[in-house]
Amino acid sequence: MTVRLSEEQLALRDAVRELADAKIAPRAAAIDESGEFPWDVVELLASHDVLALPFPAAHGGLGADLLTVCLAIEAVSRVCATSGLIVAIQELGGLPLLLAGSPEQHARWIPDLAAGRILPAFALTEAEAGSDAASLRTRAVRDGDGWRIDGSKRFITEGNVAAIVNVFALTDDSAEARRAHRHLSCFIVERGMAGFSAPKVEHKMGIRGSPTAELVFEGVRVPDANRVGEVGEGWSIALRTLERSRPGIAAQAVGIAQGALEVAARYAAERRQFGRRIGEHQMIGALLADMATRTEAARQLLYTACQEIEAGTPLAGRWAAMCKLFAGDTAMAVTTDAVQVLGGYGYVSEYPVERMMRDAKITQLYEGTQQIQRLVVARDVMARGS
Amino acid sequence: MRIVVLLKAVPIVGTERLLDAFRVDRGSGLEANGNDEYVLEAALQLTEQHGGEVTLLTMGPAGALEALRKGLAMGAARAVHVQDDAVAGSDARGTVRVLAAALGRLEYDLVFAGADSSDGLGGVVPAWLAARLGLPYLSYAARIEPGPGGATVRVHRISPTGFDLLEAPMPALVMGTQLLGEPRYPSLRGIMQARTKEIATWSLADCGLQPSEVGPAAASSEIVGATPPPPRGGATIVRDQPDAAVAQIVDFLASRRLV
Amino acid sequence: MGSAIWAVAELADGAPTRLSLELATLARTLAEAMGAEATTVLVAPGAAAAAPALAQHGPGVLVVDTAASEELASAAVVSARVATLAAERGPAWILCGASPDGKDVAGQLAALLDWPVLVNGAAVRWQDGAPLVEMSIFGGRLVTESRPTASPAVIVVRPGAIAAEEAPAPGAVEAVEVVPGRELPAVRIVERVAEAAAAASIEEARIIVAGGRGVGGPEGFAVIEDLADALGGAVGATRAVVDAGWISYSQQIGQTGKIVKPALYVACGISGAIQHKVGMQTSGTIVAINRDPDAPIVEFADLVVIGDLFEIAPRLAAAVRARKA
């Protein structure tokens, strides 16, 4: 099967690219240096309907398919990984609601998410439960008509600025529930709820403008109306969410790689040493060729994965893992090579590639480490024989 | 207010080429003429504030469609695309003939045009068109607004000392400049809505014109030669400390009798 | 059909613009080569007072005083009267200047007379019985030579096509009253507003000192202005700077601004992106002062000074002034 972007997808992609080049690219270095969350970029993306892409038209979204959402993430990430992440997180944080939320919950939160009036967060990971997410310990116990949540989460993107946080909590500690993966449930905790705080934000290697927060829940009472999906459906919701959000991270990675490739190519075409443009020296040329080839391969795998997942393939988990695995490793390799092509200039902040390299690393770590992605694919290979 | 905005699809700036027949190559890579997007933005703002609709009108090859779609995505209600092989290579006179004929089939209170196209029709088409249609002509607009009674249009026309405030009854033709304000980026919603908007394609015959009236055969000038200008570059590069650098600059300018 | 060549002049502050004097000179030169008559036509309020200055440049001057139409936008007034005179007197060629009014007049004459128009003339000479118009197109990336396929025609001529030069003997001035055969729809001038920021037209400047983003802000432009003053030139700017509000649009050079061709263009803190390049790349001499040795402008400048414009420009201004003293 081949991927052909429709005319509309091309137009949307080009529009986001133009916006990113003109309005976001000039901000990228400052966002990284200051480490401040770029609210102006949120406003820009919201006002241009970029944040509306993943949400249904009935609630003010644009009802775009997964590939189109990824095209937007890729286009923005090409100039600024932090900004690309804003788009990806808007999708990620909305997915549990879209996949398992009730009509009332949709009506309550989707319009604001689509309009970019509120930001969401996805809180699964804990200090002691990263790759082993299923062993998380934040608890939700029944409290009258509602629930009481106690525990903490770590490394939650936008957790401190989100208006709504999807919190995955243990609701049934029994061995059978765990065996059946029915031990977790998903709840929307809203900013301002008593007992909910974000005491700390991490200082990071890359995507420095994106706040990565620790979240603390001390006797937070949420009404049952804030429970997303059935009791015990949490793990299933998380997995189904990741099937659609991992491609978003792959898109971020492809975008980062593309941006780095362009900087390196431009440099190699202008910089002269030993009487020639350095791109004409074979060792540099080989680097550029590999960078270009791998970026395109990662892109094609991502686009195909999006189409497969959108079409409802039973192999969605595998496709999501493969595209995220390949794209993340590609971004790391391509940005590292980009620094190499620029030599000393690649190491200094006057050129953006050192930032892109620092940004790329996270794509090998979050939404499931590369090792977890490999586990997912390996299990499927063993189950299907290829 | 019914406003027709003339949109010209021109080669992307910096990529312009001539074809063998010394016509501008409009085969690929077209974008809306820079100044046309400013007047389109002004038209959209006027209709948003005062009611009405914007219609885009372009004469050009198939490649002009992208510029039209972008204009529709920005908010224009519909587009008319005069597309006919015979019009390729038309000069200003041929262009005016076609646009006048097309406008004759449309209803409007205002026609907007951008100042000068980057591919060189020399900035005379809007004035020519207005005179041919018998419309009052207001040029070099930095601002456009309806007149106090609602039956006139007022324009701030750039002048050497500031601006002149002009007024004329509608229908009128206004030519506008960059000072009208930055054109909006099409929102993604606009892009998706543009798909459902009408682009009418008209041939030369639909406009009531004969091929002999347009195109290179009807052109009023012929190119007898084309040369690239003398190549530039090979600059002398000065990297010295400011005082030494300045001394070199002065010597250089003196050698060319510029100081 | 006559063989005369006309030049349509315009006034600024009551005196002929430099472009008008160039057109008069050009008409005279072409007429000599053609073996024909040249006439400058001036239609304006108070035209009689300005006529002698035009007459100094050779061609006879036809003067139409339009004081009565002072409150109307001038181009339509001018075109209607020039067209009527042309219909009566039958020139073969009419030169218009590529000024805003000049281009408006050219388009209107074309409609009134049903004549073709050759545009963007960077130079005009007489060859093989017709004007050969040199046009710099695509922002100067190509120069074409075009001939009209028939006469009569209007030719639009850019500033700097020829140096204005007085004739050995001044031409005769003829004042005429014209009742237009056809008037164009009138456009009323409600008010003329003067703004402090407006500067002299930079298209006619022989030397331009231009500032880009590297200037940093409106205060930075003081350095540019001082250098322009020392060199006796005008101040130009890139679009980024105009968009930022540091300087007025009338001084913007580039794709959506003005196309200029001065003898000297000093680009300070300007990267030389294509949208700006198309506005100035046919300048006689280009000097670039920039901190970035990889800026695109390095590819097409004649002298590149790598350094801080705030260090270089003031020193350069001082050195130039010292030299002139």
Side-chain angles (χ1 to χ4, degrees):
Chain A
M1 67 146 327
T2 51
V3 174
R4 299 235 71 187
L5 298 180
S6 70
E7 249 182 54
E8 183 176 86
Q9 281 171 329
L10 286 170
L12 290 170
R13 178 199 69 183
D14 290 347
V16 177
R17 198 184 266 177
E18 221 180 290
L19 181 68
D21 281 345
K23 303 277 183 180
I24 301 180
R27 289 273 291 124
I31 291 171
D32 176 67
E33 186 166 338
S34 71
E36 280 180 26
F37 185 58
W39 285 104
D40 58 319
V41 174
V42 174
E43 175 55 42
L44 186 77
L45 293 169
S47 63
H48 286 85
D49 302 322
V50 182
L51 300 181
L53 283 169
F55 300 103
H59 289 293
L62 293 184
D65 60 22
L66 183 56
L67 176 49
T68 306
V69 174
C70 285
L71 289 173
I73 296 171
E74 183 189 338
V76 177
S77 302
R78 176 178 148 269
V79 304
C80 175
T82 291
S83 302
L85 188 55
I86 292 172
V87 185
I89 295 300
Q90 202 75 1
E91 186 213 13
L92 168 63
L95 276 169
L97 282 171
L98 291 173
L99 293 168
S102 67
E104 294 74 34
Q105 288 171 332
H106 282 198
R108 189 167 161 203
W109 287 306
I110 304 281
D112 282 341
L113 286 171
R117 279 188 291 266
I118 60 172
L119 302 177
F122 182 84
L124 178 65
T125 300
E126 298 181 1
E128 301 301 315
S131 289
D132 188 9
S135 70
L136 64 85
R137 305 225 293 255
T138 297
R139 283 174 183 278
V141 298
R142 287 215 187 257
D143 185 64
D145 289 343
W147 300 81
R148 201 187 90 202
I149 300 179
D150 288 273
S152 65
K153 297 289 183 185
R154 190 94 193 256
F155 299 139
I156 307 305
T157 302
E158 291 177 24
N160 61 326
V161 296
I164 58 170
V165 182
N166 295 268
V167 179
F168 292 82
L170 189 60
T171 40
D172 188 336
D173 207 357
S174 68
E176 319 121 59
R178 282 187 186 278
R179 247 189 328 266
H181 294 295
R182 302 241 0 131
H183 57 303
L184 302 178
S185 305
C186 177
F187 299 89
I188 297 284
V189 173
E190 299 170 63
R191 180 113 157 269
M193 281 181 161
F196 169 41
S197 64
K200 180 182 151 201
V201 170
E202 308 286 352
H203 192 265
K204 304 189 298 297
M205 172 193 280
I207 49 159
R208 297 192 62 242
S210 173
T212 306
E214 182 183 2
L215 303 181
V216 172
F217 307 91
E218 290 172 307
V220 179
R221 287 183 163 72
V222 303
D224 196 49
N226 280 33
R227 171 174 49 87
V228 181
E230 316 244 320
V231 177
E233 200 185 345
W235 186 241
S236 162
I237 293 173
L239 287 185
R240 282 182 284 143
T241 295
L242 291 170
E243 276 170 15
R244 296 189 74 92
S245 64
R246 279 174 179 163
I249 298 309
Q252 181 191 35
V254 171
I256 294 171
Q258 180 67 26
L261 170 62
E262 288 176 18
V263 176
R266 197 156 51 235
Y267 185 85
E270 286 169 4
R271 171 82 169 171
R272 304 188 87 95
Q273 291 286 272
F274 304 110
R276 296 158 74 178
R277 299 183 299 167
I278 64 169
E280 290 165 27
H281 293 299
Q282 287 191 352
M283 284 196 271
I284 300 291
L287 280 175
L288 293 173
D290 286 345
M291 289 161 74
T293 306
R294 294 166 91 162
T295 302
E296 191 60 49
R299 176 178 293 120
Q300 292 304 320
L301 179 55
L302 164 64
Y303 290 2
T304 303
C306 286
Q307 292 195 325
E308 287 292 313
I309 295 166
E310 192 68 52
T313 172
L315 297 169
R318 172 178 170 142
W319 278 105
M322 287 171 82
C323 76
K324 193 268 187 190
L325 169 64
F326 194 82
D329 286 350
T330 297
M332 200 64 230
V334 169
T335 54
T336 306
D337 285 349
V339 172
Q340 197 68 27
V341 168
L342 268 68
Y345 286 103
Y347 202 68
V348 301
S349 57
E350 196 180 320
Y351 285 83
V353 291
E354 61 83 20
R355 178 189 89 231
M356 292 169 171
M357 184 177 166
R358 286 186 286 109
D359 285 344
K361 187 63 195 171
I362 193 63
T363 64
Q364 293 179 308
L365 301 171
Y366 63 6
E367 298 239 358
T369 60
Q370 302 298 72
Q371 288 68 30
I372 291 296
Q373 309 303 338
R374 287 183 169 95
L375 269 179
V376 172
V377 177
R379 275 187 198 140
D380 199 78
V381 170
M382 290 295 284
R384 281 171 220 286
S386 75
Chain B
M1 294 183 120
R2 299 160 303 177
I3 308 180
V4 175
V5 174
L6 304 181
L7 212 64
K8 184 173 183 193
V10 299
I12 292 169
V13 173
T15 69
E16 305 95 342
R17 283 184 301 276
L18 287 186
L19 295 174
D20 294 334
F22 295 123
R23 287 173 292 147
V24 174
D25 180 3
R26 293 185 208 288
S28 63
L30 300 179
E31 59 182 4
N33 178 42
N35 281 322
D36 297 349
E37 291 201 317
Y38 290 106
V39 296
L40 171 55
E41 174 62 31
L44 291 169
Q45 286 186 21
L46 279 170
T47 53
E48 280 160 11
Q49 281 162 34
H50 303 282
E53 285 186 331
V54 175
T55 300
L56 306 172
L57 172 59
T58 195
M59 173 184 102
L65 271 174
E66 213 174 293
L68 285 177
R69 289 220 182 88
K70 185 178 175 191
L72 291 174
M74 284 166 70
R78 73 188 63 78
V80 173
H81 182 189
V82 178
Q83 182 181 357
D84 196 305
D85 288 339
V87 306
S90 293
D91 61 359
R93 179 154 71 174
T95 302
V96 169
R97 280 183 181 145
V98 173
L99 292 176
L103 283 167
R105 298 183 54 188
L106 295 170
E107 293 194 355
Y108 49 83
D109 301 302
L110 290 168
V111 178
F112 282 6
D116 281 15
S117 61
S118 54
D119 68 343
L121 275 193
V124 299
V125 165
W128 196 332
L129 189 55
R132 190 169 157 136
L133 293 169
L135 297 175
Y137 176 61
L138 304 90
S139 58
Y140 297 95
R143 209 156 110 191
I144 308 170
E145 55 206 7
T152 62
V153 61
R154 283 192 167 191
V155 157
H156 287 213
R157 181 179 194 259
I158 303 172
S159 78
T161 47
F163 67 87
D164 292 339
L165 179 59
L166 305 181
E167 184 171 25
M170 298 194 279
L173 194 151
V174 179
M175 179 263 262
T177 67
Q178 169 194 319
L179 287 180
L180 289 168
E182 202 64 43
R184 63 194 67 182
Y185 283 98
S187 69
L188 301 193
R189 198 176 304 271
I191 291 173
M192 292 176 89
Q193 283 168 354
R195 264 197 316 163
T196 60
K197 293 180 179 174
E198 181 205 349
I199 302 182
T201 307
W202 294 352
S203 66
L204 209 55
D206 290 331
C207 297
L209 291 172
Q210 300 293 331
S212 57
E213 299 178 81
V214 299
S220 43
S221 67
E222 53 184 356
I223 299 183
V224 298
T227 48
R232 297 203 81 119
T236 310
I237 314 242
V238 172
R239 290 178 198 269
D240 299 300
Q241 292 300 303
D243 288 315
V246 163
Q248 290 185 63
I249 301 173
V250 173
D251 284 344
F252 177 84
L253 294 178
S255 73
R256 295 190 176 205
R257 310 249 282 273
L258 294 165
V259 290
Chain C
M1 175 49 65
S3 60
I5 179 159
W6 286 11
V8 178
E10 58 180 300
L11 303 180
D13 289 333
T17 62
R18 177 147 124 211
L19 178 54
S20 300
L21 298 178
E22 290 173 4
L23 281 187
T25 307
L26 181 60
R28 180 179 101 234
T29 311
L30 289 172
E32 281 163 17
M34 283 158 79
E37 291 268 312
T39 303
T40 303
V41 183
L42 178 63
V43 179
L54 282 169
Q56 294 288 350
H57 290 71
V61 183
L62 260 184
V63 167
V64 182
D65 195 310
T66 54
S69 311
E70 207 161 351
E71 86 293 358
L72 298 182
S74 56
V77 173
V78 172
S79 319
R81 283 145 187 79
V82 173
T84 303
L85 286 169
E88 286 167 15
R89 299 181 182 220
W93 313 101
I94 298 183
L95 306 178
C96 290
S99 61
D101 273 2
K103 286 187 276 196
D104 284 350
V105 166
Q108 289 165 343
L109 282 177
L112 290 167
L113 295 168
D114 195 22
W115 286 14
V117 182
L118 278 77
V119 296
N120 281 332
V124 186
R125 60 179 190 279
W126 191 255
Q127 186 163 298
D128 299 330
L132 191 65
V133 179
E134 193 181 291
M135 299 194 229
S136 158
I137 62 173
F138 303 159
R141 285 196 305 117
L142 199 59
V143 175
T144 65
E145 291 180 322
S146 299
R147 289 162 52 100
T149 48
S151 71
V154 176
I155 303 175
V156 178
V157 181
R158 300 189 58 80
I162 195 171
E165 197 189 317
E166 291 191 356
V173 175
E174 183 192 347
V176 288
E177 298 265 327
V178 180
V179 175
R182 181 187 150 195
E183 288 273 18
L184 289 173
V187 173
R188 200 169 64 89
I189 302 177
V190 173
E191 198 187 340
R192 288 185 215 269
V193 178
E195 284 176 331
S201 166
I202 57 169
E203 282 166 300
E204 315 201 334
R206 187 174 159 266
I207 295 178
I208 296 178
V209 180
R213 240 194 256 269
V215 171
E219 316 76 32
F221 260 90
V223 161
I224 306 292
E225 277 156 23
D226 187 59
L227 180 55
D229 183 68
L231 286 166
V235 176
T238 63
R239 179 163 159 195
V241 155
V242 170
D243 281 350
W246 303 346
I247 200 168
S248 91
Y249 172 61
S250 59
Q251 290 157 279
Q252 178 178 317
I253 292 165
Q255 182 194 354
T256 51
K258 297 208 163 79
I259 313 281
V260 297
K261 196 185 149 183
L264 172 63
Y265 191 92
V266 182
C268 304
I270 292 178
S271 69
I274 184 74
Q275 290 83 0
H276 182 70
K277 182 178 173 185
V278 300
M280 43 66 78
Q281 67 181 323
T282 57
S283 303
T285 294
I286 299 175
V287 174
I289 304 173
N290 202 304
R291 284 196 315 182
D292 178 8
D294 295 323
I297 198 167
V298 171
E299 300 295 311
F300 60 94
D302 301 300
L303 179 73
V304 174
V305 183
I306 305 297
D308 180 350
L309 72 96
F310 292 105
E311 297 285 322
I312 308 266
R315 285 177 171 79
L316 180 57
V320 168
R321 285 194 174 105
R323 217 184 133 83
K324 288 184 178 177

